[in-house]
């Protein structure tokens, strides 16, 4: 051991084997020795010494070998011919691992014996225990001990330590060692957690868990905050310990709770994990005792509080623990509502990991909710109202009847007081007889007197009642009510009063102590039922209503979260998007009300560039829509069609296109294709009961199926025509429109090769006849859906017809003639509200019909242009390619090498031919489409006339359709565009209908792309729509300009400020689009930087009246795109130059801009170089500029180097000095010069003309402004020349200190052009100064 480093490895191995044999032999011999009843002291001492010596030598050797094995160079490189590396001593690398296990086994075998008997009083020496435990702890220091391949060795070490803890009083030492080793070794938290579990469960040492926890708790929060890896190890250890032995940790949880108030984040996370594990493994279930339920509530309260922790890591972990609690069904039902509110609130957290954890918690809420498998609040309202009505009815039935108070009961209550009143009245005698007669005469008959007596008694007016009875007894002696044998006695009068009050028939028997019998009924049955412990019908109904209320509240909270999570689908963080997609799937599976909306937001993710996001979206759609449930193929197909139909109903065009890609993938490789198509045809033809919306969805899905197999639609054209385009077409133009869309899928341009002939149908096909008939049938109708059908019908004509131009020409003539015939017949019944227009010949035409006709003209004109530029041009290219292919074959066989072959090889022939074909198409559009003999040209004057006369044609749909049609006409020809562009721009500016202005904005954008030179002078009118009063017009104009600017079709000049104002628009979609525009624009080099000066200048103008908060928001967003130091420097200089001439409002704006600039040392240098531009603005009137510069320097100071920090501090002192004392009293360095000492560096002066005064020019001072000059005047300082608050703005020259002494003063004057002089003295003074300055320069 003393010479371990120099001893050969073979000697070490032999020594280890020898010591192992010695210890093993001692274990065998001691078993016999210790079994004897009496052992002599000498033998006991001898055996004790042998054990101590052998164990000491073995443990020390093991420690040395372990230390050598952990050295970096223990394993050497393999030599030639060897298959693996060898250790430095020559033995195999795995040899020590097996030897280590053998050593641990022999030590365990020895310590399992009762060797305590070898020591007196069975107290084993502490040194002996420390020797063995040190060996064990040395083995645990190796990082490999925590790996799976070292499991056997690790368990052997832990069992050996368990023996020491159990039998040899090592519990205190073990707890201290555990805490110490956790602080220094990062691989031991899981090892020691397993150790404590082993010692607690197999060795029964439960107290060691509390000892270790208390040992950790002895460290203060400040000490924990200073430790690095140790704190993380403590955190992991506590969490794993709570997961392995929660019952042992539970009594000691209060010891570690104070760490939740500390600053150490890792420890707070660990304690939160402990709380979560305790709730999951100890306190779950409803069969807990009252104390444990209370403890569970306290732990959950603590955990919920830390969902709002200051650390994002703690917040996220608390939310994750609640997710586990929910998934384990361990959260009490009463906590669902409150915790759900917390989860919804954390969706807006600033940390991405917290948002992700909140979404996971909401998914767990939905998937593990105890309420219902369907969580639609709309569907829950009807059952809730129904059950509430039942509850109200039950409560009304079981409400106890109002108690009826019998007359005898009232009489018993008033009898004592009434008797006293009778005695008093009888004592008065005849004193009140006159009053009694007068009262009774006023009452009339005896019945009236009796009624009056009863009223007085009910009103507690006993005296008046007794007097009235005395009078009535005298006046009505024959009356049964007032017949009294002894009217002067109290008993007689009381009898009369009782008879009058209770009546002769209602005189009850004297009351007894026995209560009146009650009828046996439902109440008795109910009480019997309650005695048996069964809830009553009312209680059951109350429970049902409460359940429905909780379910509705839960569903409403989930719906509230949908809106927020819907926006997260488009975040840049992939993990958050994936969690949001999973939430959408859960929402749809549980039928939440807004599930369709959120799924439509999810569908565009199938086009995402992020592979993970795209795959998540596709998998969500497959799970929800493409894996239907059902026992048979038909049931699966019906389920699939139903779910897809719900998604397609009222969906936008973009949603349908996204859904197409998903359905195409399904139909291409699905065995359900035939069944799905059959169900779709049954729905479309009406064989299966479905709504009109479902029929439309069915035909659209058939169109998608046609992209996979054309025959799905082509072979059933007759069915489509007869059902949707037949005689009943006028009943549902929307079904006809969707049918046209489905038929268009036959000519799928994406699947047709460019060299193959496109699919066309003959012009006399029944389809086109049905289309023209349907269009003309709805021309004179006032159906709002005819226009959309007509658009798709014309598109279908141009897609599939061989000669669509001829078909459409006939359609236009037929439609015009139909309208003329209608006018000739008188137009039928004229609609009210000015729905007809007067023609030149005095006839009247319905506005709706005229709007339909002009819309038809515009659609035909635009589709004709599209047909020429796409279909005809493609066909010309195809034919040319085929012709060139035929012509080039003989040349290749003959190997011709003429000039045309060379040009063909260089591609010149194809390019020239393309130009020729494009020129041909352009010529046709310019000269033929709108020529005098063209059908389209006949309608152009009418379009211009209607657009030019909005007052005459005031019908909004007519004016809208006409303006749109005129814009489509202008797309054909540059001549037509040039003639009518002013009219279109006038419509854009002055149209009263917002929809017309929006259409005009779109038209101007399209025309700008087609004829950029013609439209370039009119783009300011398009920018003007950005400030339109209507939000929809602003949104449309912004959308158009976004496309034009980003595609470099329009240059952003002075109108950038108009677009920046939309960043603070009240309408959220406009703000979002404006932000997206500037984000995309910032991707172009220096685009935002070049526009910033103009934007700042225009937004800070007084006439714009932009609010200060809005200005700050806009500038903050724009300055976030300035990331280059060079741009920042240049902006500093530009802003400083603008500050020189800025007014008050502009100064505030420029100050805000300065405070937002990115910081750099060069920016500070530019600020110092341009000191003269803003130094005079740092006074009280420039407080905003001063604060902005201080905030800028404060940001510069963060992380600045010492040299730069010194410059920053000097600059700040200079700013503060000028701001607090004024520019006149501050020198260039920021501090006044000493009194009586001349300013340094200014001795070079030339005398001026005149006596008694001297003018000097500072030759070292340079001013950047051409309109500012600095002159130093030395003259006596009279009283009138002292500073005055009303004096003009003359300030000391920067860097020039004032001079004092011998009655003369130096005053540096800066004169600005246009400065006003407030007094005559200063007028004279300034004129003298100007004269001296002029003479000096001359």
């Amino acid at each position: 051991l003393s010479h371990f480093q120099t001893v050969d490895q073979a000697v070490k191995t032999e020594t280890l084997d020898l010591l192992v044999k010695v210890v093993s032999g001692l274990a065998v011999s001691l078993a016999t020795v210790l079994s004897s009843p009496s052992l002599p002291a000498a033998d006991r001492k001898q055996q004790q010494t042998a054990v101590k010596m052998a164990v000491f030598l073995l443990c020390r050797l093991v420690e040395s070998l372990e230390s050598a094995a952990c050295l970096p160079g223990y394993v050497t490189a393999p030599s030639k011919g060897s298959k693996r590396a060898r250790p430095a001593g020559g033995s195999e690398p795995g040899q020590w691992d097996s030897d280590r296990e053998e050593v641990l086994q022999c030590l365990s075998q020895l310590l399992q014996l009762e060797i305590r008997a070898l020591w007196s009083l069975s107290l084993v020496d502490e040194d002996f225990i420390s020797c063995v435990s040190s060996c064990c702890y040395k083995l645990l220091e190796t990082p490999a001990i925590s790996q799976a391949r070292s499991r056997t060795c690790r368990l052997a070490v832990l069992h050996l330590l368990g023996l020491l803890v159990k039998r040899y009083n090592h519990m205190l030492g073990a707890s201290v060692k555990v805490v110490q080793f956790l602080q220094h070794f990062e691989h031991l938290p899981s090892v020691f957690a397993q150790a404590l579990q082993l010692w607690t469960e197999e060795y029964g040492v439960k107290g060691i868990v509390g000892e270790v926890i208390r040992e950790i708790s002895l460290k203060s929060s400040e000490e924990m905050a200073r430790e690095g890896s140790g704190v993380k190890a403590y955190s992991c250890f506590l969490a794993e310990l709570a997961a392995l032995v929660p019952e042992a940790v539970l009594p000691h949880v209060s010891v570690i709770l104070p760490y939740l108030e500390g600053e150490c984040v890792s420890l707070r996370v660990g304690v939160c994990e402990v709380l979560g594990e305790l709730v999951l493994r100890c306190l779950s279930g409803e069969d807990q005792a009252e104390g444990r339920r209370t403890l569970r509530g306290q732990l959950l309260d603590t955990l919920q509080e830390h969902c709002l922790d200051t650390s994002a890591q703690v917040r996220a972990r608390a939310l994750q623990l609640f997710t586990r609690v929910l998934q384990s069904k361990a959260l009490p039902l009463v906590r669902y509502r409150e915790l759900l509110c917390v989860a919804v609130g954390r969706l807006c957290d600033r940390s991405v990991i917290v948002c992700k954890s909140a979404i996971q918690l909401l998914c767990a809420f939905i998937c593990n909710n105890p309420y219902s498998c369907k969580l639609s609040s709309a569907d829950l309202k009807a059952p809730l109202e129904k059950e509430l009505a039942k509850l109200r009815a039950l409560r009304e039935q079981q409400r106890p009847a109002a108690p009826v108070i019998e007359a005898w009961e009232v009489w018993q209550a008033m009898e004592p007081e009434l008797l006293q009143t009778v005695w008093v009245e009888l004592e008065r005698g005849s004193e009140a007889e006159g009053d009694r007669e007068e009262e009774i005469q006023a009452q009339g008959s005896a019945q009236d007197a009796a009624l009056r007596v009863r009223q007085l008694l009910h009103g507690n007016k006993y005296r008046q009642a007794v007097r009235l009875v005395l009078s009535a007894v005298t006046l009505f002696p024959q009356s049964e009510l007032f017949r009294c044998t002894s009217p002067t006695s109290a008993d007689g009068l009381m009898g009369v009063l009782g008879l009058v009050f209770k009546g002769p028939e209602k005189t009850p028997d004297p009351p007894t102590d026995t209560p009146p019998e009650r009828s046996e009924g439902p109440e008795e049955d109910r009480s019997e039922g309650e005695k048996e412990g069964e809830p009553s019908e009312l209680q059951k109904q109350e429970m049902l209503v409460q359940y429905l209320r909780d379910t509705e509240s839960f569903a409403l909270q989930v719906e509230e979260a949908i809106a927020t999570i819907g926006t997260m689908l488009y975040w840049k963080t992939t993990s958050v998007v994936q969690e949001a997609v999973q939430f959408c799937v859960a929402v749809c599976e549980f039928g939440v009300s807004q599930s369709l909306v959120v799924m439509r937001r999810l569908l565009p993710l199938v086009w995402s560039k992020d592979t993970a996001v795209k795959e998540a979206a596709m998998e969500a759609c497959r799970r929800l829509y493409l894996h239907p449930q059902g026992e048979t193929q038909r049931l699966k197909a019906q389920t699939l069609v139903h779910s897809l139909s719900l998604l397609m109903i009222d969906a936008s065009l973009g949603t349908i296109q996204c859904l197409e890609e998903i359905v195409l993938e399904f139909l291409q490789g699905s065995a359900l294709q035939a069944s799905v198509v059959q169900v779709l045809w049954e729905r479309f033809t009406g064989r299966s009961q479905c709504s009109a919306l479902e029929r439309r969805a069915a035909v659209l899905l058939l169109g998608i199926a046609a992209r996979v197999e054309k025959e799905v639609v082509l072979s059933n054209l007759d069915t489509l025509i007869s059902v949707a385009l037949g005689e009943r077409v006028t009943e549902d133009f929307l079904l006809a429109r969707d049918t046209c869309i489905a038929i268009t899928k036959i000519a799928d341009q994406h699947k047709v090769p460019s060299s193959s002939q496109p699919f066309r149908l003959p012009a006399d096909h029944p389809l086109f006849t049905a289309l023209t008939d349907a269009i003309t049938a709805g021309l004179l109708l006032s159906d709002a859906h005819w226009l959309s059908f007509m658009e798709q019908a014309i598109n279908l004509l141009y897609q599939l017809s061989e000669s669509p131009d001829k078909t459409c020409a006939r359609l236009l003539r037929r439609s015009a003639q139909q309208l003329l015939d209608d006018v000739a017949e008188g137009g039928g019944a004229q609609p009210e509200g000015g729905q007809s227009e007067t023609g030149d010949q005095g006839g009247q035409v319905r506005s709706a019909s005229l709007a339909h006709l002009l819309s038809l003209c515009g659609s035909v004109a635009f589709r004709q242009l599209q047909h020429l530029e796409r279909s005809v041009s493609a066909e010309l290219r195809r034919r040319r390619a085929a012709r060139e292919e035929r012509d080039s074959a003989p040349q290749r066989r003959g190997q011709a090498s003429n000039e045309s072959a060379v040009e063909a090889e260089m591609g010149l022939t194809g390019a020239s031919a393309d130009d020729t074909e494009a020129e041909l198409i352009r010529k046709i559009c310019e000269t033929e489409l709108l020529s005098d003999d063209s059908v389209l040209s006949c309608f152009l004057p009418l379009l211009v006339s209607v657009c030019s006369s909005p007052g005459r044609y005031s019908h909004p749909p007519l004016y809208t359709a006409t303006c749109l049609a005129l814009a489509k006409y202008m797309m054909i020809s540059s001549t037509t565009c040039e003639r009518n562009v002013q009219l279109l721009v006038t419509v854009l500016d002055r149209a009263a209908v917002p929809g017309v202005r929006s259409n005009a904005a779109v038209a101007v954008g399209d025309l700008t792309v087609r004829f950029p030179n013609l439209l370039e002078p009119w783009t300011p009118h398009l920018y003007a729509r950005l400030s339109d009063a209507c939000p929809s017009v602003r949104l449309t104009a912004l959308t158009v300009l976004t496309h034009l600017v980003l595609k470099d079709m329009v240059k952003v000049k002075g109108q950038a400020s108009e677009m920046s104002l939309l960043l603070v628009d009240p309408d959220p979609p406009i703000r979002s689009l404006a932000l997206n525009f500037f984000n995309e624009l910032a991707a172009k080099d220096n685009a935002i930087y070049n526009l910033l000066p103009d934007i700042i200048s225009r937004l800070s103008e007084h006439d714009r009246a932009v609010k200060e908060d809005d200005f700050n928001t806009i500038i903050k967003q724009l300055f976030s795109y300035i990331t280059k130091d060079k741009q920042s420097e240049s902006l500093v200089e530009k802003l400083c130059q603008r500050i020189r001439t800025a007014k008050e409002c502009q100064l505030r704006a420029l100050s805000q801009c300065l405070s937002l600039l990115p910081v750099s040392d060069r920016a500070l240098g530019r600020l110092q170089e341009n000191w003269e531009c803003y130094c005079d603005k740092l006074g009280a009137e420039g407080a905003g500029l001063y604060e902005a510069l201080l905030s800028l320097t404060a940001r510069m100071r963060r992380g600045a180097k010492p040299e730069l920090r010194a410059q920053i501090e000097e600059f700040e002192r200079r700013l503060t000095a000028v701001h607090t004392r004024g520019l006149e009293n501050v020198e260039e360095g920021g501090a006044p010069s000493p009194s009586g000492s001349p300013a340094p560096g200014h001795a070079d002066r030339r005398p001026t003309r005149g006596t008694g005064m001297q003018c000097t020019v500072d030759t070292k001072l340079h001013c950047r402004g051409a309109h500012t000059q600095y002159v130093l005047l030395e003259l006596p300082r009279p009283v009138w020349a002292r500073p005055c608050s009303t004096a003009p703005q003359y300030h000391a020259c920067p860097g020039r200190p004032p001079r004092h002494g011998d009655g003369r003063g130096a005053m540096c004057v800066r004169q600005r052009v246009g400065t006003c002089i407030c007094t005559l003295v200063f007028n004279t003074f300034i004129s003298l100064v100007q004269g001296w300055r002029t003479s000096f320069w001359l």
Side-chain angles (χ1 to χ4, degrees), residues 126 137 165 170-184 188 192 196 199 208-216 218-219 234 237:
E126 185 65 28
Y137 293 130
V165 172
H170 185 58
M171 184 173 70
L172 183 60
S175 60
V176 174
K177 280 290 185 181
V178 166
V179 175
Q180 290 178 352
F181 272 57
L182 285 174
Q183 185 175 358
H184 297 95
L188 289 180
F192 278 138
L196 265 67
W199 301 341
I208 194 170
V209 174
E211 289 293 334
V212 173
I213 294 177
R214 279 192 292 271
E215 193 69 29
I216 294 176
L218 293 178
K219 295 181 175 290
Y234 292 147
F237 169 74

Side-chain angles (χ1 to χ4, degrees), residues 387 391 394 534-547:
E387 299 303 328
L391 179 62
L394 284 175
E534 298 178 358
S536 65
E537 199 68 29
L538 178 61
Q539 291 174 336
K540 292 179 180 179
Q541 190 65 24
E542 289 176 344
M543 293 168 62
L544 177 59
V545 169
Q546 186 61 41
Y547 163 76

Side-chain angles (χ1 to χ4, degrees), residues 42-68:
D43 294 343
R44 186 174 65 245
K45 186 66 176 178
Q46 182 181 5
Q47 294 293 338
Q48 175 189 348
T49 304
V51 168
K52 291 170 66 176
M53 292 171 61
V55 170
F56 171 78
L57 291 174
L58 180 60
C59 291
R60 292 299 183 187
L61 182 59
V62 168
E63 291 180 17
S64 300
L65 289 172
E66 185 68 18
S67 300

Side-chain angles (χ1 to χ4, degrees), residues 1186-1198:
Y1186 171 70
E1187 294 174 358
L1189 290 173
L1190 285 184
S1191 66
L1192 184 63
T1193 55
R1195 286 192 291 122
M1196 288 182 181
R1197 192 184 293 107
R1198 299 172 190 166

Side-chain angles (χ1 to χ4, degrees), residues 868-919:
L868 286 172
E869 294 189 343
R870 292 185 180 178
S871 301
V872 174
S873 179
E875 181 63 17
L876 289 175
R877 287 193 300 271
R878 187 190 67 81
R879 293 181 181 182
R880 173 169 50 80
R883 184 171 58 254
E884 290 175 355
E885 183 69 21
R886 290 194 304 269
D887 295 343
S888 61
Q891 292 180 3
R892 285 196 299 269
R893 287 193 298 267
Q895 295 182 355
S897 58
N898 51 21
E899 183 179 352
S900 60
V902 175
E903 291 181 356
E905 290 178 3
M906 296 177 63
L908 298 178
T909 305
S912 176
D914 287 342
D915 293 341
T916 303
E917 292 165 2
E919 182 63 25

Side-chain angles (χ1 to χ4, degrees), residues 348-574:
C348 301
D349 198 280
R350 293 177 297 177
S351 174
V352 171
I353 188 174
V354 178
C355 294
K356 178 181 175 181
S357 303
I359 298 175
Q360 292 173 346
L361 179 56
L362 287 171
C363 285
F365 264 115
I366 296 173
C367 297
N368 300 279
N369 80 88
Y371 301 109
S372 173
C373 60
K374 296 297 179 183
L375 295 173
S376 174
S377 60
D379 296 339
L380 289 170
K381 286 182 180 179
L384 179 59
E385 292 295 332
K386 180 180 178 181
E387 299 303 328
L388 276 173
K390 288 183 180 180
L391 179 62
R392 286 191 290 267
L394 284 175
R395 285 176 176 173
E396 289 293 334
Q397 292 176 2
Q398 299 187 10
R399 180 178 297 174
V404 179
I405 301 177
E406 300 292 340
W408 62 270
E409 296 176 344
V410 180
W411 173 258
Q412 286 181 347
M414 70 171 67
E415 188 173 12
E417 187 175 356
L418 184 60
L419 181 59
Q420 295 292 334
T421 306
V422 169
W423 286 341
V424 171
E425 290 298 320
L426 289 177
E427 289 177 359
R428 291 180 60 188
S430 60
E431 295 179 2
E433 288 183 359
D435 298 335
R436 298 171 191 166
E437 292 179 0
E438 291 177 0
E439 291 178 1
I440 201 63
Q441 289 175 0
Q443 296 302 323
S445 63
Q447 296 295 333
D448 295 337
L451 179 61
R452 178 59 178 166
V453 169
R454 284 194 292 269
Q455 292 176 351
L456 292 174
L457 291 176
H458 279 294
N460 296 331
K461 299 179 180 179
Y462 301 145
R463 181 175 298 176
Q464 297 180 16
V466 171
R467 291 178 181 178
L468 190 57
V469 167
L470 289 172
S471 300
V473 167
T474 306
L475 295 176
F476 307 108
Q478 303 300 323
S479 174
E480 295 180 358
L481 293 175
F482 296 105
R483 183 181 302 168
C484 181
T485 56
S486 56
T488 58
S489 64
D491 294 337
L493 284 179
M494 290 295 295
V496 172
L497 286 168
L499 182 63
V500 170
F501 183 77
K502 295 180 292 183
E505 299 177 359
K506 295 183 179 181
T507 304
D509 297 331
T512 61
D513 297 335
T514 304
E517 295 184 0
R518 297 183 181 270
S519 61
E520 297 181 359
E523 293 184 359
E524 185 175 348
D525 297 338
R526 181 186 62 185
S527 62
E528 292 178 0
E530 291 176 357
K531 289 179 181 178
E532 295 175 1
E534 298 178 358
S536 65
E537 199 68 29
L538 178 61
Q539 291 174 336
K540 292 179 180 179
Q541 190 65 24
E542 289 176 344
M543 293 168 62
L544 177 59
V545 169
Q546 186 61 41
Y547 163 76
L548 290 175
R549 282 176 174 167
D550 292 343
T551 306
E552 184 187 28
S553 175
F554 182 83
L556 289 174
Q557 286 180 299
V558 173
E559 291 172 13
E560 181 184 353
I562 288 178
T564 304
I565 297 180
T567 61
M568 296 181 178
L569 290 170
Y570 298 96
W571 280 19
K572 295 181 180 180
T573 308
T574 302

